[in-house]
Amino acid sequence: PPWSAAEIHPLFLEDRFCQEMPYDAVFPALKLATRLISTPQATYYLHAIFFGVNRAVPDLIAEELHPIRAMSELTARDRELVWNELAVMACDTRIVVREELRQKCLLGQTRYKPSLLTGDRRRTPSLIFITPELIDPLRQHEKFMSDFRARNVLSLAITLVHEIAHAA
């Protein structure tokens, strides 16, 4: 079927992917990933990442996120701000199929370099690695709606959303 770039977030446009990615085959997963990052829950989480108050946890490397408002208080403007932050992030994000993830038993991995000037992880280059195990079954010319294919579309979409959250 003909796919439209209007159906997906800029994070998932074709130029964000490496050449080995069979874009037409993974497009259903990209469309689903776009819908997943558009849910109120994902918007709330990403809003907290982008605009919340972050505090370092003593004796740990981790940070705590403190949202600036409740999920029920998010406005259409908040959703637009999150969408736009993700679009800006898309300019510096690339998605690559990485064979080494098979040996590590990982479905995905994100690498980024925090800005040395600001310490901000956003607006810095991010690489999202995806295991071929999620891509290869989608290359097959099997019936599109088979259970196996549907499971792989879902797994790829969830993995992409998970890695996007790391990159954010």
Side-chain angles (χ1 to χ4, degrees):
W3 306 115
S4 165
E7 298 176 89
I8 59 168
H9 189 276
L11 279 164
F12 306 123
L13 292 176
E14 190 167 9
D15 64 349
R16 308 284 182 255
F17 290 85
C18 67
Q19 294 172 340
E20 301 88 41
M21 188 74 69
Y23 193 74
D24 286 343
V26 300
F27 195 89
L30 305 178
K31 192 172 173 181
L32 179 57
T34 296
R35 294 207 177 193
L36 290 172
I37 63 172
S38 304
T39 64
Q41 295 82 0
T43 300
Y44 177 69
Y45 178 75
L46 291 166
H47 191 274
I49 289 175
F50 291 136
F51 306 108
V53 178
N54 296 348
R55 286 191 327 194
V57 177
D59 301 323
L60 294 176
I61 298 173
E63 293 180 349
E64 288 181 349
L65 289 175
H66 297 279
I68 56 175
R69 59 178 59 93
M71 185 166 31
S72 61
E73 297 172 335
L74 287 180
T75 65
R77 177 71 179 136
D78 292 326
R79 286 185 284 282
E80 181 182 351
L81 287 170
V82 167
W83 196 259
N84 291 341
E85 283 291 315
L86 289 170
V88 168
M89 193 176 92
C91 296
D92 295 318
T93 301
R94 296 296 174 267
I95 301 171
V96 179
V97 178
R98 197 68 179 256
E99 184 66 40
E100 300 86 63
L101 295 184
R102 283 188 210 258
Q103 288 80 34
K104 295 180 181 180
C105 297
L106 295 172
L107 296 178
Q109 184 179 49
T110 299
R111 295 217 179 132
Y112 58 89
K113 186 177 251 185
S115 170
L116 297 175
L117 298 176
T118 65
D120 190 357
R121 293 188 311 210
R122 291 175 286 147
R123 295 175 183 75
T124 60
S126 295
L127 277 175
I128 295 176
F129 302 126
I130 300 295
T131 183
E133 289 178 26
L134 292 176
I135 306 300
D136 291 344
L138 300 177
R139 294 179 199 262
Q140 309 299 321
H141 295 291
E142 45 182 313
K143 187 176 174 188
F144 176 71
M145 288 310 294
S146 73
D147 291 345
F148 180 72
R149 186 174 180 84
R151 187 170 47 250
N152 277 283
V153 166
L154 178 62
S155 294
L156 178 56
I158 290 171
T159 301
L160 285 168
V161 170
H162 176 88
E163 297 305 328
I164 292 298
H166 282 302

